[in-house]
């Protein structure tokens, strides 16, 4: 079974010598590149067969509880109330066709901020993080979001976890698109430009693959996320 946790986390001189030195330089280049490559694959952009648990994190009111409801095939209420204390979640299945992943019981930790200090208790070897950001408030929340993403990346890299990952779910795409007349690819470009993810310390990832613009009330968008999680099945 796969654990899913829902949280709001806060975050050289003569020619002979020169020839020898040049040889050493060329010798070191592939070593350096190899180390960089190992570091780069440390943070994946989607769940994999090595994923053991999933954490759903993000800013307050970014859609974490709605995503939980959609993964359980529960219709979200029209008048959503912010989650201000942990809510138990019973074990459930994510299923599409003949593929199925069993999710262990956990808690929706909602909008509490204390987990920003204790995030290392949630992220272990094999953890994949879906981090939700509200497209309509991303500029106001920029520094907070960057700090939390950096905290996640720091935990993964400092502990040398090899099978961890993160994906940013840019939520409320429908509302953002209606006000800006843009496509999903343009919304993703906006997230990249605004958050400047490439400049966040310890992020070694193909940024083009780790951002997904979604409407959490759109069945097709939810199925994209479900399909990613279903890839965990061995």
């Amino acid at each position: 079974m796969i654990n899913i946790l829902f949280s709001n986390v806060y975050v050289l001189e003569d020619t002979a010598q020169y020839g020898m030195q040049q040889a050493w330089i060329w010798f070191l280049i592939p070593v350096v590149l190899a180390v960089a490559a190992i570091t780069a694959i440390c943070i994946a952009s989607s769940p994999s067969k090595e994923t053991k648990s999933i954490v759903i994190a993000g800013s307050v009111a970014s859609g974490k509880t709605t995503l939980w409801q959609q993964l359980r095939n529960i219709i979200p209420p029209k008048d959503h109330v912010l989650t201000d204390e942990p809510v138990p979640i019973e074990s459930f299945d994510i299923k599409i066709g003949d593929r199925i992943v069993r999710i262990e019981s956990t808690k929706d930790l909602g909008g509490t901020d204390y987990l920003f200090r204790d995030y290392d208790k949630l992220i272990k070897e094999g953890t994949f993080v879906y981090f939700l950001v509200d497209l309509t408030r991303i500029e106001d929340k920029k520094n907070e979001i960057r700090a939390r993403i950096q905290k996640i990346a720091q935990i993964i890299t400092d502990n040398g976890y090899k099978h961890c990952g993160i994906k940013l779910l840019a939520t409320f795409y429908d509302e953002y698109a209606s006000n800006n007349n843009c496509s999903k690819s343009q919304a993703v470009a906006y997230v990249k430009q605004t958050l400047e993810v490439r400049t966040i310390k310890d992020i070694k990832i193909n940024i083009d693959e780790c951002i997904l613009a979604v409407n959490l009330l759109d069945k097709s968008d939810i199925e994209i996320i479900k399909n990613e999680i279903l890839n965990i099945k061995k």
Side-chain angles (χ1 to χ4, degrees):
M1 291 194 293
I2 304 298
N3 289 317
I4 291 192
L5 302 176
F6 299 78
S7 65
N8 183 75
V9 188
Y10 295 66
V11 1
L12 314 135
E13 267 183 26
D14 62 286
T15 55
Q17 288 179 328
Y18 177 78
M20 179 63 72
Q21 290 162 352
Q22 189 177 45
W24 274 106
I25 291 171
W26 282 109
F27 173 77
L28 288 173
I29 286 175
V31 176
V32 172
L33 290 177
V35 171
I38 292 172
T39 304
I41 63 174
C42 183
I43 303 181
S45 59
S46 61
S48 69
K49 290 180 170 57
E50 288 76 25
T51 300
K52 299 176 182 177
S53 64
I54 291 177
V55 169
I56 296 180
S59 300
V60 174
S62 57
K64 296 179 297 300
T65 297
T66 298
L67 177 55
W68 162 70
Q69 291 166 331
Q70 292 285 51
L71 291 178
R72 295 192 66 192
N73 297 320
I74 296 174
I75 299 175
K78 292 183 179 180
D79 298 322
H80 177 66
V81 178
L82 291 179
T83 305
D84 56 5
E85 60 182 30
V87 176
I89 301 172
E90 296 181 358
S91 181
F92 66 97
D93 295 334
I94 293 179
K95 182 178 180 180
I96 296 180
D98 60 352
R99 294 182 300 156
I100 184 170
V101 169
R102 184 72 172 172
I103 306 303
E104 292 184 354
S105 59
T106 182
K107 293 181 179 180
D108 179 358
L109 300 172
T112 52
D113 289 339
Y114 71 91
L115 283 171
F116 181 68
R117 301 188 300 271
D118 300 327
Y119 214 58
D120 56 340
K121 296 178 181 179
L122 298 178
I123 300 175
K124 304 295 181 183
E125 178 63 76
T127 299
F128 187 85
V129 180
Y130 280 108
F131 191 92
L132 279 61
V133 298
D134 181 348
L135 270 166
T136 66
R137 298 186 301 155
I138 199 168
E139 292 187 27
D140 295 335
K141 296 285 185 177
K142 175 181 177 178
N143 292 336
E144 172 195 327
I145 293 169
R146 283 174 55 88
R148 296 185 184 190
I149 294 174
Q150 197 279 323
K151 178 67 173 179
I152 293 168
Q154 182 181 20
I155 292 170
I156 293 172
T157 55
D158 285 357
N159 287 283
Y161 296 149
K162 297 180 180 179
H163 301 297
C164 290
I166 185 171
K167 174 162 283 184
L168 276 63
L169 298 182
T171 59
F172 297 97
Y173 165 71
D174 53 332
E175 183 178 343
Y176 177 78
S178 67
N179 294 327
N180 295 276
N181 190 28
C182 69
S183 65
K184 285 189 175 181
S185 61
Q186 290 172 321
V188 167
Y190 167 69
V191 175
K192 294 180 192 177
Q193 179 180 358
T194 304
L195 292 183
E196 301 174 294
V197 180
R198 290 185 186 276
T199 67
I200 299 177
K201 183 181 178 183
D202 292 325
I203 286 287
K204 303 292 191 301
I205 191 171
N206 184 348
I207 195 63
D208 295 330
E209 296 180 357
C210 82
I211 302 176
L212 182 66
V214 296
N215 169 12
L216 294 178
L217 299 180
D218 187 323
K219 183 178 179 180
S220 61
D221 285 350
I222 295 299
E223 293 220 345
I224 291 173
I225 300 169
K226 285 185 176 181
N227 274 307
E228 284 194 338
I229 295 174
L230 285 166
N231 285 334
I232 294 170
K233 185 178 180 181
K234 297 175 176 59

